[in-house]
Amino acid sequence: MSKLYELDAVALANLIRAGKVSAREITEEALTRMAAVNPKINAVVESLEDEARTTAAALDERQARGERLGGLHGVPVTVKINVDTKGHANTNGVVAFKNNIAADDSPVVANLRRAGAIIIGITNTPAFSRRWFTDNDLHGRTLNPHDPRITPGGSSGGASAAVASGIGMIGHGNDIGGSIRYPAYACGVYGIRPSFGRVPAYNPTATVERSVVLHQSSVQGPLARSIRDLSVGLDAMAMRDPRDPWHVPASPVTGQPDAGPVRVALFDSWSGCKADAAVTRALKQAASWLADAGYIIEVVAPPSFEETVDLWRTLLTTQDHLDGVLVPSEKIADKALRKSMEGVNRAKVFTPEWFIQGLARRTTLLRAWTLFFEKYPVLLMPSSWKLPFPIDADQTPTGKHDLMAAQTPQTVLPILGLPGLSVPILTEGEAPCGVQLATARYAEAVAFEAGAVIEACAPKIRVIDPRAGRAAAE
């Protein structure tokens, strides 16, 4: 039998429900695993072991009384350090926020608890969650368990490294420009950026509301080692919370029968960045597997790709300027973040009049993408045009330029509030790689169905032991 921490959440929950293992037992094994491997990668920056044991005992007692059990009953999970967890600091990776203690849980944390999940630790993020690398002056650097020379992704790099190395079955992350999908890609796990509004979001420690652009581009979602874990994790996170008035009651994630074969648009090249050979191979392989399963593959680019990417960058940059975010954040940001921001956030800024027109243009582009998905329900494209970047590649002008071009498949979806699924296709001896599946708003089930086809054909994901060297698995 596999070690319990190697199981996915669904398999583990079934064992607990059947009485074959207790929440206490799995919690102790999860905490032991975390203590063994986390010092090597620094994915979890705060252990919640005492709370986890208390929660596990309460869950076992609930089960013994015959009470209704949540979908993640007894499943160990992690949450990211940029959301409020009651009694703990929401630091967002910033030294100045080390005492920002939350008086209450954010909706996503509260929902995980309601589903019966056991939160065993809080994971790392870069300062202000603003980099595709996970390192900050307060909590230090998180390493990729596959290879410490490459990024674990960002900003949910702690979550991805934890999941890949067997620290919890599901990791919570959030995504405004790839912060779920890129870490999943870099660490060889699955990650879903849900549609805007599906998962409620709010931090009680926040002193001001987020702007419309920032709020509607950012989402909360899960990372996991299987598609089915993403599905149950997303359903758990998506339960209603009245503190988010933008929440859309679109759960559970369910699909609808198709009248015929599903058409897939394969977006495998872009003039703005040459894809790495491994990325191209992964796309071709995924397309082949989908075709074998009855999908119809056509090489087609999504509408106005480059304009949509530019709108993401310009609207977010303009919003930061209008909100006065940049100067305060630069004053208390660590050196690496300040260096990565040099030039990038001095991009073109809209006047207020053009900003309003930019918001209107976003609606025009979303309409075009929505119509595109009517013909092609699935868009198969890279997670990044390049393999995971070396650590701190954003610390040079050339590196920043290369990153911005390579990451366009990450940044194109958030400005439209669209979902994206990161699916790993690991190759022995190479860096983690994979593909991304995008769909229409609230059509995550369509992405899950296509992703499950790829999952069934691809090499099985195994828990990585970062203590044993590059890409070694137990």
Side-chain angles (χ1 to χ4, degrees), residues 81 88-102 125-128 136-140 205 207 327-335 337-338:
I81 203 160
H88 301 274
N90 176 350
T91 72
N92 205 7
V94 179
V95 174
F97 300 158
K98 63 181 180 180
N99 296 318
N100 184 34
I101 307 299
T125 190
F128 289 100
N136 60 72
D137 287 348
L138 180 58
H139 304 298
T205 57
T207 56
V327 173
S329 67
E330 286 178 344
K331 286 182 177 179
I332 58 176
D334 54 40
K335 182 180 178 180
L337 176 57
R338 290 197 302 271

Short mmCIF file of all heavy atoms in Angstrom, two decimals, residues 81 88-102 125-128 136-140 205 207 327-335 337-338:
data_model
loop_
_atom_site.label_atom_id
_atom_site.label_comp_id
_atom_site.label_asym_id
_atom_site.label_seq_id
_atom_site.Cartn_x
_atom_site.Cartn_y
_atom_site.Cartn_z
N ILE A 81 0.10 32.29 2.18
CA ILE A 81 0.27 33.29 3.24
C ILE A 81 -0.20 34.68 2.84
O ILE A 81 0.01 35.65 3.56
CB ILE A 81 1.74 33.32 3.71
CG1 ILE A 81 1.83 33.90 5.12
CG2 ILE A 81 2.63 34.07 2.71
CD1 ILE A 81 3.09 33.56 5.85
N HIS A 88 -3.34 34.11 12.59
CA HIS A 88 -2.02 34.06 11.97
C HIS A 88 -1.80 35.29 11.09
O HIS A 88 -2.77 35.91 10.63
CB HIS A 88 -1.86 32.78 11.15
CG HIS A 88 -2.04 31.55 11.96
ND1 HIS A 88 -1.02 30.96 12.68
CD2 HIS A 88 -3.16 30.80 12.21
CE1 HIS A 88 -1.49 29.91 13.31
NE2 HIS A 88 -2.78 29.77 13.04
N ALA A 89 -0.54 35.62 10.84
CA ALA A 89 -0.22 36.82 10.08
C ALA A 89 -0.39 36.58 8.59
O ALA A 89 0.14 35.61 8.05
CB ALA A 89 1.20 37.27 10.38
N ASN A 90 -1.13 37.45 7.95
CA ASN A 90 -1.16 37.51 6.49
C ASN A 90 -0.05 38.47 6.09
O ASN A 90 -0.22 39.67 6.00
CB ASN A 90 -2.52 38.02 6.01
CG ASN A 90 -2.60 38.21 4.50
OD1 ASN A 90 -1.59 38.14 3.80
ND2 ASN A 90 -3.79 38.47 4.00
N THR A 91 1.13 37.90 5.83
CA THR A 91 2.30 38.75 5.57
C THR A 91 2.43 39.13 4.10
O THR A 91 3.11 40.11 3.79
CB THR A 91 3.60 38.04 5.98
OG1 THR A 91 3.88 36.98 5.06
CG2 THR A 91 3.50 37.49 7.40
N ASN A 92 1.86 38.33 3.22
CA ASN A 92 2.06 38.51 1.78
C ASN A 92 3.55 38.59 1.43
O ASN A 92 3.94 39.25 0.48
CB ASN A 92 1.32 39.74 1.27
CG ASN A 92 0.97 39.66 -0.21
OD1 ASN A 92 1.17 38.63 -0.86
ND2 ASN A 92 0.48 40.76 -0.76
N GLY A 93 4.37 37.94 2.25
CA GLY A 93 5.80 37.90 1.99
C GLY A 93 6.53 39.21 2.26
O GLY A 93 7.65 39.40 1.78
N VAL A 94 5.94 40.10 3.06
CA VAL A 94 6.50 41.43 3.29
C VAL A 94 6.88 41.59 4.77
O VAL A 94 6.06 41.35 5.66
CB VAL A 94 5.49 42.52 2.89
CG1 VAL A 94 6.07 43.91 3.15
CG2 VAL A 94 5.09 42.36 1.43
N VAL A 95 8.11 42.01 5.02
CA VAL A 95 8.59 42.16 6.39
C VAL A 95 7.69 43.10 7.18
O VAL A 95 7.37 42.85 8.35
CB VAL A 95 10.04 42.69 6.39
CG1 VAL A 95 10.50 42.99 7.81
CG2 VAL A 95 10.98 41.67 5.74
N ALA A 96 7.24 44.18 6.57
CA ALA A 96 6.42 45.17 7.26
C ALA A 96 5.07 44.62 7.71
O ALA A 96 4.39 45.21 8.56
CB ALA A 96 6.20 46.38 6.37
N PHE A 97 4.66 43.48 7.14
CA PHE A 97 3.35 42.90 7.47
C PHE A 97 3.46 41.69 8.40
O PHE A 97 2.50 40.94 8.56
CB PHE A 97 2.62 42.47 6.19
CG PHE A 97 2.36 43.57 5.21
CD1 PHE A 97 2.16 43.28 3.87
CD2 PHE A 97 2.34 44.91 5.60
CE1 PHE A 97 1.92 44.29 2.94
CE2 PHE A 97 2.12 45.93 4.69
CZ PHE A 97 1.90 45.62 3.35
N LYS A 98 4.61 41.52 9.04
CA LYS A 98 4.81 40.31 9.84
C LYS A 98 3.87 40.22 11.04
O LYS A 98 3.65 39.12 11.57
CB LYS A 98 6.26 40.23 10.30
CG LYS A 98 6.70 41.35 11.24
CD LYS A 98 8.17 41.18 11.63
CE LYS A 98 8.62 42.29 12.56
NZ LYS A 98 10.04 42.14 12.93
N ASN A 99 3.29 41.34 11.45
CA ASN A 99 2.35 41.33 12.57
C ASN A 99 0.92 41.59 12.13
O ASN A 99 0.07 41.99 12.94
CB ASN A 99 2.77 42.38 13.61
CG ASN A 99 4.11 42.05 14.24
OD1 ASN A 99 4.39 40.89 14.56
ND2 ASN A 99 4.96 43.06 14.41
N ASN A 100 0.64 41.36 10.86
CA ASN A 100 -0.70 41.58 10.31
C ASN A 100 -1.58 40.36 10.64
O ASN A 100 -1.93 39.56 9.77
CB ASN A 100 -0.61 41.80 8.80
CG ASN A 100 -1.94 42.13 8.16
OD1 ASN A 100 -2.78 42.78 8.76
ND2 ASN A 100 -2.13 41.66 6.93
N ILE A 101 -1.94 40.24 11.91
CA ILE A 101 -2.67 39.06 12.39
C ILE A 101 -4.14 39.14 11.99
O ILE A 101 -4.81 40.16 12.20
CB ILE A 101 -2.55 38.92 13.92
CG1 ILE A 101 -1.08 38.94 14.35
CG2 ILE A 101 -3.25 37.65 14.39
CD1 ILE A 101 -0.25 37.82 13.78
N ALA A 102 -4.64 38.07 11.42
CA ALA A 102 -6.04 38.02 10.97
C ALA A 102 -6.96 37.67 12.13
O ALA A 102 -6.71 36.71 12.87
CB ALA A 102 -6.20 37.01 9.85
N THR A 125 5.18 32.85 -0.55
CA THR A 125 4.89 33.65 -1.73
C THR A 125 5.96 34.72 -1.85
O THR A 125 6.60 35.07 -0.84
CB THR A 125 3.50 34.29 -1.61
OG1 THR A 125 3.11 34.89 -2.85
CG2 THR A 125 3.46 35.36 -0.52
N PRO A 126 6.22 35.28 -3.01
CA PRO A 126 7.15 36.41 -3.10
C PRO A 126 6.53 37.65 -2.45
O PRO A 126 5.32 37.69 -2.20
CB PRO A 126 7.33 36.61 -4.60
CG PRO A 126 6.11 36.02 -5.21
CD PRO A 126 5.73 34.87 -4.34
N ALA A 127 7.34 38.65 -2.18
CA ALA A 127 6.82 39.88 -1.60
C ALA A 127 5.71 40.46 -2.46
O ALA A 127 5.85 40.59 -3.67
CB ALA A 127 7.95 40.90 -1.45
N PHE A 128 4.60 40.77 -1.81
CA PHE A 128 3.42 41.31 -2.48
C PHE A 128 2.86 40.36 -3.54
O PHE A 128 2.02 40.75 -4.35
CB PHE A 128 3.70 42.69 -3.11
CG PHE A 128 3.88 43.79 -2.12
CD1 PHE A 128 5.15 44.23 -1.78
CD2 PHE A 128 2.79 44.39 -1.52
CE1 PHE A 128 5.33 45.25 -0.85
CE2 PHE A 128 2.95 45.42 -0.59
CZ PHE A 128 4.22 45.84 -0.26
N ASN A 136 11.51 35.97 -0.55
CA ASN A 136 11.28 37.27 0.08
C ASN A 136 12.17 37.39 1.31
O ASN A 136 12.70 36.40 1.82
CB ASN A 136 9.80 37.44 0.46
CG ASN A 136 9.32 36.38 1.42
OD1 ASN A 136 9.67 36.38 2.60
ND2 ASN A 136 8.51 35.43 0.92
N ASP A 137 12.33 38.61 1.78
CA ASP A 137 13.23 38.87 2.90
C ASP A 137 12.70 38.34 4.23
O ASP A 137 13.48 38.13 5.16
CB ASP A 137 13.48 40.38 3.03
CG ASP A 137 14.39 40.92 1.95
OD1 ASP A 137 15.00 40.10 1.23
OD2 ASP A 137 14.48 42.16 1.81
N LEU A 138 11.39 38.14 4.32
CA LEU A 138 10.79 37.69 5.58
C LEU A 138 10.89 36.18 5.76
O LEU A 138 11.29 35.69 6.82
CB LEU A 138 9.33 38.14 5.65
CG LEU A 138 8.55 37.75 6.91
CD1 LEU A 138 9.23 38.31 8.17
CD2 LEU A 138 7.10 38.22 6.82
N HIS A 139 10.52 35.43 4.74
CA HIS A 139 10.43 33.97 4.86
C HIS A 139 11.50 33.21 4.09
O HIS A 139 11.61 32.00 4.23
CB HIS A 139 9.05 33.50 4.37
CG HIS A 139 7.90 34.15 5.06
ND1 HIS A 139 7.67 34.01 6.41
CD2 HIS A 139 6.90 34.94 4.59
CE1 HIS A 139 6.58 34.69 6.74
NE2 HIS A 139 6.10 35.27 5.66
N GLY A 140 12.28 33.90 3.26
CA GLY A 140 13.33 33.23 2.51
C GLY A 140 12.85 32.64 1.19
O GLY A 140 11.74 32.92 0.73
N THR A 205 -8.47 41.51 6.89
CA THR A 205 -7.42 42.45 7.30
C THR A 205 -7.28 43.61 6.32
O THR A 205 -6.58 44.59 6.62
CB THR A 205 -6.06 41.74 7.40
OG1 THR A 205 -5.75 41.13 6.14
CG2 THR A 205 -6.05 40.70 8.51
N THR A 207 -7.65 46.99 4.47
CA THR A 207 -8.14 48.29 4.94
C THR A 207 -8.91 49.05 3.87
O THR A 207 -9.65 49.98 4.17
CB THR A 207 -6.95 49.15 5.41
OG1 THR A 207 -6.00 49.27 4.34
CG2 THR A 207 -6.27 48.52 6.61
N VAL A 327 4.17 53.23 -5.44
CA VAL A 327 5.16 53.90 -4.60
C VAL A 327 5.19 53.33 -3.18
O VAL A 327 6.26 52.98 -2.67
CB VAL A 327 4.92 55.43 -4.57
CG1 VAL A 327 5.84 56.08 -3.56
CG2 VAL A 327 5.15 56.02 -5.97
N PRO A 328 4.04 53.17 -2.50
CA PRO A 328 4.10 52.56 -1.16
C PRO A 328 4.68 51.16 -1.18
O PRO A 328 5.46 50.79 -0.30
CB PRO A 328 2.63 52.54 -0.73
CG PRO A 328 1.99 53.64 -1.51
CD PRO A 328 2.69 53.63 -2.83
N SER A 329 4.30 50.35 -2.19
CA SER A 329 4.81 48.97 -2.21
C SER A 329 6.30 48.94 -2.48
O SER A 329 7.02 48.12 -1.93
CB SER A 329 4.05 48.14 -3.25
OG SER A 329 4.32 48.58 -4.56
N GLU A 330 6.78 49.86 -3.35
CA GLU A 330 8.21 49.89 -3.64
C GLU A 330 9.01 50.29 -2.41
O GLU A 330 10.13 49.82 -2.22
CB GLU A 330 8.48 50.86 -4.79
CG GLU A 330 8.06 50.32 -6.15
CD GLU A 330 8.31 51.31 -7.27
OE1 GLU A 330 8.52 52.48 -6.96
OE2 GLU A 330 8.28 50.90 -8.44
N LYS A 331 8.44 51.11 -1.55
CA LYS A 331 9.16 51.57 -0.37
C LYS A 331 9.41 50.44 0.62
O LYS A 331 10.43 50.45 1.33
CB LYS A 331 8.37 52.70 0.32
CG LYS A 331 8.43 54.03 -0.43
CD LYS A 331 7.68 55.11 0.33
CE LYS A 331 7.80 56.47 -0.37
NZ LYS A 331 7.05 57.53 0.34
N ILE A 332 8.50 49.50 0.70
CA ILE A 332 8.65 48.42 1.68
C ILE A 332 8.92 47.07 1.03
O ILE A 332 8.99 46.05 1.72
CB ILE A 332 7.43 48.33 2.62
CG1 ILE A 332 6.14 48.09 1.82
CG2 ILE A 332 7.32 49.56 3.48
CD1 ILE A 332 4.93 47.90 2.72
N ALA A 333 9.06 47.05 -0.29
CA ALA A 333 9.36 45.80 -0.99
C ALA A 333 10.81 45.40 -0.77
O ALA A 333 11.67 46.25 -0.49
CB ALA A 333 9.10 45.96 -2.48
N ASP A 334 11.10 44.12 -0.88
CA ASP A 334 12.49 43.69 -0.77
C ASP A 334 13.24 44.01 -2.05
O ASP A 334 12.65 44.37 -3.08
CB ASP A 334 12.60 42.21 -0.39
CG ASP A 334 11.84 41.30 -1.34
OD1 ASP A 334 11.87 41.53 -2.55
OD2 ASP A 334 11.21 40.34 -0.85
N LYS A 335 14.56 43.88 -1.99
CA LYS A 335 15.42 44.29 -3.11
C LYS A 335 15.08 43.54 -4.40
O LYS A 335 15.05 44.13 -5.49
CB LYS A 335 16.89 44.07 -2.74
CG LYS A 335 17.87 44.51 -3.81
CD LYS A 335 19.31 44.27 -3.37
CE LYS A 335 20.29 44.67 -4.46
NZ LYS A 335 21.71 44.43 -4.04
N LEU A 337 12.26 42.23 -5.43
CA LEU A 337 11.02 42.71 -6.04
C LEU A 337 11.23 44.07 -6.69
O LEU A 337 10.78 44.32 -7.81
CB LEU A 337 9.90 42.79 -5.01
CG LEU A 337 8.58 43.38 -5.53
CD1 LEU A 337 8.06 42.58 -6.72
CD2 LEU A 337 7.53 43.43 -4.42
N ARG A 338 11.94 44.97 -6.00
CA ARG A 338 12.19 46.29 -6.57
C ARG A 338 12.95 46.17 -7.89
O ARG A 338 12.64 46.85 -8.87
CB ARG A 338 12.99 47.16 -5.58
CG ARG A 338 12.19 47.59 -4.36
CD ARG A 338 12.86 48.76 -3.65
NE ARG A 338 14.21 48.46 -3.25
CZ ARG A 338 14.55 47.91 -2.08
NH1 ARG A 338 13.61 47.59 -1.21
NH2 ARG A 338 15.82 47.69 -1.76
#
